[in-house]
Amino acid sequence: MVTKSKMERLLSERQFLVSAELTPPRHYDLEKLLKHARNMAGCVDVVQINDHLLSQARCANMAVGHFVKQEGLEPVLQFSLRHKNKIALQGDLLGMAALGLSNIIVLGGYPCAIGSDPDAKEVSDVDSYAAIELTRRLTREGKLFNGDVVSPAPYFHVGTIDFPCAEQAIAGAMDRLAAKIDAGASFIQVQAVFELASMRRWMAAVVERGLHERAHFIAAIFPFAGVDRLSFLQKVPGLVVPDHLIERVRLSGDAEGESYRITLELIRGLRDIPGLSGIHMRSIGAEDWVPRLVDEAGLRRSA
């Protein structure tokens, strides 16, 4: 009998999921990371562990997930296909199963050229659609990618990433999103937004197509502290940081306080958008904010 993960159970019960993020270090000392995990344990449902963030060589997130689980938190592991061919992807899935980890997010990943080793080669030989489908088949049928059977079959709760887009591109975006769900994505994490209008428009299209009834949608925000951080995030591919937000922080006279207030406004606004099943805080460099944000946004739920 398959035992659902806590994440899958909460989503299936229509409870609003609260997630935060941990970034593996560029060394092997995990004490600081695990301290953040312990601080988050009482206020979030799951913690996502990114995979070589911004194409930088970091401690393997599967190892980090193992230690985070020992701290009482349920991990969700990113799987960046940028550096995984079919052999590596299957090996990581089997390694996850051996460690009792089941939540994964499949994504392409940023190109190696922007990271710590720009001369590194990208080795992915399977796209996100195929990776989702093959991982779901491994769960349903116990079949590796070449058809070899693994018994008992490992169990994975599979999600992926998508991006809010301009209004004129929404129709095509919904078609691609439906294809990811057809491939077997059970949940969709939406890339972090810095204003609500684009998310409201995008989620209205999701609801109109009925896609929220076929998969669970999790919004994301990116806590930040100050103009320098916002200016950096503005340069990250896939993120849209409006200039007026930077100007608001610059003119506030209290950059950190205003940054926190904006983050809280975003969380509260996202909480009320129809079709969303949870929120993910990309708490990279703002891990200490998570308990306070959860409390002040009214996201805390008794265990």
Side-chain angles (χ1 to χ4, degrees):
M1 180 179 177
V2 170
T3 301
K4 291 183 177 180
S5 68
K6 178 182 179 181
M7 180 184 188
E8 188 173 8
R9 177 177 57 80
L10 291 174
L11 290 172
S12 66
E13 293 174 355
R14 300 292 175 181
Q15 298 192 49
F16 197 79
L17 186 84
V18 181
S19 168
E21 188 160 339
L22 291 171
T23 300
R26 281 179 50 75
H27 50 75
Y28 56 88
D29 183 353
L30 300 182
E31 184 50 41
K32 183 177 179 180
L33 180 146
L34 295 176
K35 180 180 178 181
H36 288 314
R38 288 189 286 270
N39 290 339
M40 294 176 182
C43 62
V44 301
D45 299 310
V46 298
V47 64
Q48 188 177 138
I49 304 170
N50 50 53
D51 187 11
H52 300 290
L53 179 70
L54 295 177
S55 298
Q56 295 174 342
R58 296 177 178 273
C59 186
N61 69 347
M62 193 187 313
V64 173
H66 171 69
F67 288 109
V68 164
K69 184 178 180 182
Q70 291 182 337
E71 296 293 340
L73 268 169
E74 179 165 290
V76 183
L77 300 192
Q78 287 185 6
F79 265 37
S80 294
L81 299 176
R82 164 196 60 230
H83 54 271
K84 300 182 195 293
N85 65 12
K86 291 179 181 179
I87 295 172
L89 179 56
Q90 291 172 94
D92 283 355
L93 289 169
L94 294 175
M96 279 188 66
L99 293 172
L101 308 175
S102 61
N103 301 308
I104 69 171
I105 294 181
V106 174
L107 64 154
Y110 292 124
C112 293
I114 73 167
S116 60
D117 299 85
D119 58 339
K121 303 299 182 185
E122 293 170 28
V123 298
S124 174
D125 54 10
V126 58
D127 64 21
S128 58
Y129 300 92
I132 293 166
E133 186 172 20
L134 289 166
T135 302
R136 290 292 294 165
R137 188 182 75 161
L138 180 56
T139 287
R140 288 193 304 266
E141 304 175 26
K143 290 183 178 179
L144 293 170
F145 297 178
N146 70 349
D148 288 350
V149 174
V150 176
S151 182
Y155 183 77
F156 300 107
H157 179 223
V158 186
T160 189
I161 299 283
D162 216 299
F163 297 80
C165 59
E167 188 170 5
Q168 61 269 25
I170 280 183
M174 292 300 111
D175 290 341
R176 292 189 294 274
L177 184 56
K180 291 180 180 180
I181 297 171
D182 290 340
S186 298
F187 65 96
I188 310 293
Q189 182 175 296
V190 187
Q191 178 61 287
V193 295
F194 292 85
E195 54 185 354
L196 296 172
S198 60
M199 179 61 86
R200 290 192 181 109
R201 184 173 59 244
W202 195 81
M203 281 304 301
V206 167
V207 171
E208 184 178 0
R209 285 279 294 264
L211 298 178
H212 67 304
E213 297 175 347
R214 300 179 53 207
H216 299 283
F217 285 78
I218 300 167
I221 56 100
F222 215 131
F224 60 92
V227 170
D228 289 346
R229 183 64 169 164
L230 269 181
S231 298
F232 169 79
L233 293 173
Q234 200 173 41
K235 299 181 179 73
V236 175
L239 297 180
V240 179
V241 181
D243 290 334
H244 69 79
L245 202 64
I246 295 176
E247 192 66 9
R248 174 179 165 182
V249 175
R250 192 192 311 277
L251 296 175
S252 67
D254 177 13
E256 183 167 334
E258 191 67 12
S259 298
Y260 182 87
R261 284 188 287 273
I262 291 169
T263 302
L264 195 56
E265 289 170 12
L266 288 170
I267 293 173
R268 288 170 172 163
L270 290 169
R271 180 70 176 83
D272 295 330
I273 295 178
L276 288 174
S277 297
I279 191 162
H280 172 64
M281 288 170 278
R282 300 209 65 196
S283 45
I284 301 167
E287 294 86 355
D288 291 340
W289 282 14
V290 170
R292 183 180 167 200
L293 286 168
V294 169
D295 186 47
E296 294 188 15
L299 297 175
R300 192 181 300 277
R301 180 176 56 247
S302 299

